[in-house]
Amino acid sequence: MSKSDTSISINVKHAATVNETRIRVRYADTDQMGVVYHANHFIWFEVGRVELLRQFGFSYKDMEREDGCFIAVIDARCRYKAPVHYDDEVIVRTYLKHVREKVLRFGYELRRTESGELLAEGETTHIVANAQMKTRTLPEKYMRVFRAAVGKKNVEASS
Amino acid sequence: MSKSDTSISINVKHAATVNETRIRVRYADTDQMGVVYHANHFIWFEVGRVELLRQFGFSYKDMEREDGCFIAVIDARCRYKAPVHYDDEVIVRTYLKHVREKVLRFGYELRRTESGELLAEGETTHIVANAQMKTRTLPEKYMRVFRAAVGKKNVEASS
Amino acid sequence: MSKSDTSISINVKHAATVNETRIRVRYADTDQMGVVYHANHFIWFEVGRVELLRQFGFSYKDMEREDGCFIAVIDARCRYKAPVHYDDEVIVRTYLKHVREKVLRFGYELRRTESGELLAEGETTHIVANAQMKTRTLPEKYMRVFRAAVGKKNVEASS
Amino acid sequence: MSKSDTSISINVKHAATVNETRIRVRYADTDQMGVVYHANHFIWFEVGRVELLRQFGFSYKDMEREDGCFIAVIDARCRYKAPVHYDDEVIVRTYLKHVREKVLRFGYELRRTESGELLAEGETTHIVANAQMKTRTLPEKYMRVFRAAVGKKNVEASS
């Protein structure tokens, strides 16, 4: 699940700025409509976000514990393009859309692994907070990497 | 939980078009940041939506089973204004923002019961589908009520 | 949801030792089998447990925050008797089965409000821990009430 | 996530009867105690169960869709041995404990990948049902494989 699995045609530069993580749909994710319940997409976005950070060389766990940086969601949106079914394998593509000292915005695409079909698109906006949930600035070691990564979504590789 | 609990000062017209449902935050809703995990707000929106329909005289269960009308989410958004804590009581205010024959849009506000503080705002857009997930038009009995309710959010009553 | 709703025939002694809380089944609780996913019963048990404590005059939130008492689950079991469906109203009956200085065991019954049908039975065992997750003894103010409540499930009132 | 990842020292016979699947703990899995909320262990058991069936050559999705066999939970239990933390990698070991024509029982162990520490043990019992939730017997193609697999948990391979 946590593998950053960059597909064959994607070059190194792409690999550094877009994370691709595979999720297997669980029975628990479905509802009685026979498809994935819509709140679960946001959980998958979170999985992708954490794996993108790991790909950047950071552990979100350590961001919290060692640097006292909490990435709290202030806005979340998802546009649902196609139903997702039990046992489907889904690729979560995550990239940084925007970064400022106290604000981060991530973008997401969910695609069916088998067909490449676009299942959903979304974005989440976060403020950087300390353990007391007050806003703070991101340490420079993160800013440097995040700034370099912003906007480097190779759109041509996404389909 | 499922009570439509209209507060004292709200008039009958308001009561008919905005639903207020109370939710008690469960331990399961929290995450290690000590606040409600952000995907759960969408589950509360769903609770509010169902209770608004019930207030209109409809049961979503029967819409599915008897009328073959499935209200599938195509867009969902939430703006988080303040953290929500374990054991808080939250009021979910739900109203219809927009209705067309095959599309419904609901708006939501989450407020802390005790203080009235705004915790989150959101909206969800839905298409009307049949059991095979093909779009269909809403039966007239729903359309009539939904059209009457749209836009009748008494903003002054919301605080 | 959080109302302790003791039904008509139950006497005061019963009301003090068994909590009855009503839950409305959410769409999010269901899976593609068209029934409530089995892990959710444990979340309902947690709701019942917290409401039983509230009925005893305690807030679990304050137990954690003010007394540093965490009730950590060490064993959980559920026997499923009948499927639970979307929009059903379920009564969670919770009572204390066993108490020692560092261990608590709760029992649960889930019944359909409308028919009284037994939907599930379960129990959970907990150790009392401090904020560092080390076992500790329950303060006397809790012990006194818990000891008085143990075993006082009026079985005749449960059907 | 869905890889059956048998560790190096395990022989072929073991690989056929015990499934090992790795799970990365998500932020959504945690609660404000800073550990995984206890109901989520049952979701991981479900993931393991599905992967064990896949290892046997079956897809649970097809069991439902093509053979009309639903594996409905009638009893679930978990004993929690150690807290599980955010971002931990957990190995879910799943095996068949018992099989009859209409009843299946699975056993589970959760271990921290890094240390091998036992985190939880559990079992779930299921009846075989048709789409109308009436009990039915398992088709012979499943019975043959399940009977061969029962009880073949190589305990010495589990640490």
Side-chain angles (χ1 to χ4, degrees):
Chain A
M1 179 187 101
S2 61
K3 295 270 186 58
S4 67
D5 190 324
T6 51
S7 56
I8 300 153
S9 65
I10 298 175
N11 62 32
V12 175
K13 192 170 147 233
H14 171 73
T17 57
V18 178
N19 176 266
E20 302 204 345
T21 293
R22 288 159 192 241
I23 301 272
R24 174 76 72 170
V25 177
R26 302 169 178 181
Y27 213 87
D29 295 328
T30 63
D31 65 24
Q32 72 176 31
M33 230 178 260
V35 300
V36 171
Y37 185 74
H38 64 281
N40 292 316
H41 295 62
F42 293 96
I43 296 176
W44 297 345
F45 290 170
E46 176 232 303
V47 171
R49 201 157 63 235
V50 166
E51 295 307 322
L52 177 64
L53 293 177
R54 206 187 311 277
Q55 186 170 293
F56 287 160
F58 305 136
S59 142
Y60 180 64
K61 185 171 65 174
D62 294 342
M63 282 185 73
E64 283 198 355
R65 284 204 305 196
E66 292 170 20
D67 295 310
C69 282
F70 293 77
I71 306 295
V73 183
I74 57 168
D75 196 307
R77 185 170 184 187
C78 185
R79 290 172 296 283
Y80 305 84
K81 302 297 186 183
V84 192
H85 295 100
Y86 168 59
D87 213 39
D88 279 354
E89 197 186 75
V90 175
I91 295 182
V92 184
R93 300 184 78 248
T94 310
Y95 55 97
L96 255 176
K97 288 186 89 162
H98 176 83
V99 63
R100 276 191 324 207
E101 284 186 344
K102 298 177 178 177
V103 178
L104 293 166
R105 183 169 303 130
F106 295 88
Y108 312 88
E109 280 177 16
L110 304 180
R111 288 181 181 275
R112 190 167 283 121
T113 302
E114 219 173 76
S115 62
E117 184 190 6
L118 182 64
L119 301 169
E121 288 179 319
E123 55 268 327
T124 58
T125 309
H126 306 253
I127 49 158
V128 187
N130 63 17
Q132 289 72 45
M133 292 294 119
K134 302 289 172 201
T135 57
R136 50 158 294 172
T137 56
L138 264 177
E140 185 54 28
K141 67 176 173 181
Y142 297 111
M143 280 303 287
R144 207 177 316 123
V145 177
F146 290 172
R147 275 206 203 92
V150 163
K152 290 206 181 134
K153 183 198 169 203
N154 289 3
V155 180
E156 72 278 10
S158 77
S159 60
Chain B
M1 181 185 100
S2 60
K3 295 272 187 57
S4 66
D5 189 325
T6 51
S7 55
I8 300 152
S9 65
I10 297 174
N11 63 29
V12 174
K13 192 170 148 229
H14 172 74
T17 57
V18 178
N19 176 265
E20 301 203 347
T21 293
R22 289 160 192 241
I23 301 271
R24 173 77 70 169
V25 177
R26 302 169 179 183
Y27 213 87
D29 294 326
T30 64
D31 65 26
Q32 72 176 31
M33 229 178 263
V35 300
V36 171
Y37 185 76
H38 64 280
N40 292 317
H41 295 61
F42 293 96
I43 295 176
W44 297 345
F45 290 170
E46 176 232 302
V47 172
R49 201 156 65 233
V50 167
E51 295 306 322
L52 177 65
L53 293 177
R54 205 185 314 274
Q55 185 170 294
F56 287 159
F58 305 136
S59 141
Y60 180 64
K61 184 170 68 174
D62 293 343
M63 282 184 73
E64 283 198 354
R65 285 205 305 198
E66 291 170 21
D67 295 309
C69 282
F70 293 76
I71 306 296
V73 183
I74 58 169
D75 195 308
R77 184 170 185 186
C78 185
R79 289 172 297 282
Y80 304 85
K81 302 296 186 183
V84 192
H85 295 100
Y86 168 61
D87 213 39
D88 280 354
E89 197 186 77
V90 175
I91 295 182
V92 185
R93 301 185 76 248
T94 309
Y95 55 97
L96 255 175
K97 288 186 90 161
H98 177 83
V99 62
R100 278 195 320 214
E101 283 186 344
K102 297 176 178 178
V103 178
L104 293 166
R105 182 169 304 132
F106 295 88
Y108 312 89
E109 280 176 16
L110 303 181
R111 289 181 181 273
R112 189 167 285 121
T113 302
E114 220 172 74
S115 62
E117 184 189 7
L118 182 63
L119 301 169
E121 288 178 318
E123 55 267 327
T124 59
T125 309
H126 306 254
I127 49 159
V128 187
N130 63 17
Q132 290 73 46
M133 292 295 119
K134 302 288 172 201
T135 57
R136 51 159 293 171
T137 56
L138 265 177
E140 185 53 29
K141 66 176 172 182
Y142 298 111
M143 280 304 287
R144 207 178 315 121
V145 177
F146 291 171
R147 274 205 205 93
V150 163
K152 290 203 182 139
K153 181 199 170 201
N154 290 0
V155 180
E156 72 278 9
S158 77
S159 57
Chain C
M1 182 185 97
S2 60
K3 297 272 188 55
S4 66
D5 191 323
T6 49
S7 55
I8 301 152
S9 65
I10 296 175
N11 62 30
V12 175
K13 194 170 146 229
H14 171 73
T17 56
V18 178
N19 176 265
E20 302 204 345
T21 293
R22 288 158 193 241
I23 301 272
R24 174 76 71 171
V25 177
R26 302 168 177 182
Y27 213 86
D29 295 326
T30 63
D31 65 26
Q32 71 176 32
M33 229 178 262
V35 299
V36 171
Y37 184 74
H38 64 282
N40 292 317
H41 295 62
F42 293 96
I43 296 175
W44 296 345
F45 291 169
E46 176 231 303
V47 172
R49 202 158 60 235
V50 166
E51 295 307 323
L52 177 64
L53 293 176
R54 205 186 313 276
Q55 185 170 294
F56 287 159
F58 306 135
S59 142
Y60 180 65
K61 185 170 67 173
D62 294 342
M63 281 184 73
E64 283 198 355
R65 284 205 304 197
E66 293 171 20
D67 295 309
C69 282
F70 293 76
I71 307 294
V73 182
I74 56 168
D75 195 308
R77 185 171 184 184
C78 185
R79 289 172 296 282
Y80 304 85
K81 301 296 185 183
V84 192
H85 295 98
Y86 168 61
D87 212 38
D88 280 354
E89 198 187 76
V90 175
I91 295 182
V92 184
R93 303 184 75 248
T94 310
Y95 55 98
L96 256 176
K97 287 185 89 160
H98 176 82
V99 62
R100 278 195 320 212
E101 284 186 343
K102 299 177 177 179
V103 178
L104 293 166
R105 182 169 303 132
F106 295 88
Y108 311 89
E109 281 178 15
L110 304 179
R111 289 181 180 275
R112 190 167 283 121
T113 301
E114 218 173 75
S115 61
E117 184 190 7
L118 182 64
L119 301 169
E121 288 178 317
E123 56 267 327
T124 59
T125 308
H126 306 254
I127 49 160
V128 186
N130 63 18
Q132 289 73 43
M133 292 294 120
K134 301 290 171 199
T135 57
R136 51 160 291 173
T137 55
L138 266 176
E140 184 54 28
K141 68 175 171 182
Y142 298 112
M143 280 304 287
R144 206 178 316 123
V145 177
F146 290 173
R147 274 205 204 94
V150 163
K152 291 207 181 135
K153 182 199 172 201
N154 290 1
V155 181
E156 72 277 12
S158 76
S159 59
Chain D
M1 181 185 102
S2 61
K3 296 273 186 56
S4 68
D5 189 326
T6 51
S7 56
I8 301 153
S9 65
I10 297 175
N11 63 31
V12 175
K13 194 171 147 229
H14 172 75
T17 56
V18 178
N19 177 266
E20 301 204 346
T21 293
R22 287 160 193 242
I23 301 271
R24 174 76 72 172
V25 177
R26 302 169 178 181
Y27 213 87
D29 295 327
T30 63
D31 65 26
Q32 72 178 31
M33 231 179 261
V35 299
V36 171
Y37 184 74
H38 64 280
N40 292 316
H41 295 61
F42 292 97
I43 296 176
W44 296 347
F45 290 169
E46 176 231 303
V47 172
R49 202 157 62 232
V50 166
E51 295 307 322
L52 177 65
L53 294 176
R54 205 185 314 274
Q55 185 170 294
F56 287 159
F58 305 136
S59 141
Y60 179 64
K61 184 170 68 174
D62 293 343
M63 281 184 72
E64 281 198 355
R65 284 206 304 198
E66 292 170 21
D67 295 308
C69 282
F70 293 77
I71 307 294
V73 182
I74 56 168
D75 195 308
R77 184 170 184 185
C78 185
R79 289 172 296 282
Y80 304 84
K81 302 295 186 182
V84 192
H85 295 99
Y86 168 60
D87 213 39
D88 280 353
E89 197 186 77
V90 174
I91 296 181
V92 184
R93 302 183 77 249
T94 309
Y95 55 97
L96 255 177
K97 287 185 89 161
H98 177 83
V99 61
R100 279 193 321 210
E101 284 186 344
K102 299 178 177 176
V103 178
L104 292 167
R105 182 169 304 134
F106 295 87
Y108 312 88
E109 279 177 17
L110 304 180
R111 288 180 181 275
R112 190 167 282 122
T113 302
E114 220 172 76
S115 62
E117 184 189 8
L118 182 63
L119 301 169
E121 289 178 317
E123 55 266 329
T124 59
T125 308
H126 306 253
I127 49 158
V128 186
N130 63 17
Q132 289 73 45
M133 291 296 118
K134 302 289 172 202
T135 57
R136 49 159 294 172
T137 56
L138 266 177
E140 184 54 27
K141 66 175 172 182
Y142 297 112
M143 280 303 287
R144 206 179 315 122
V145 176
F146 290 172
R147 275 205 204 94
V150 164
K152 290 204 182 137
K153 183 199 170 204
N154 289 2
V155 180
E156 72 277 12
S158 76
S159 59

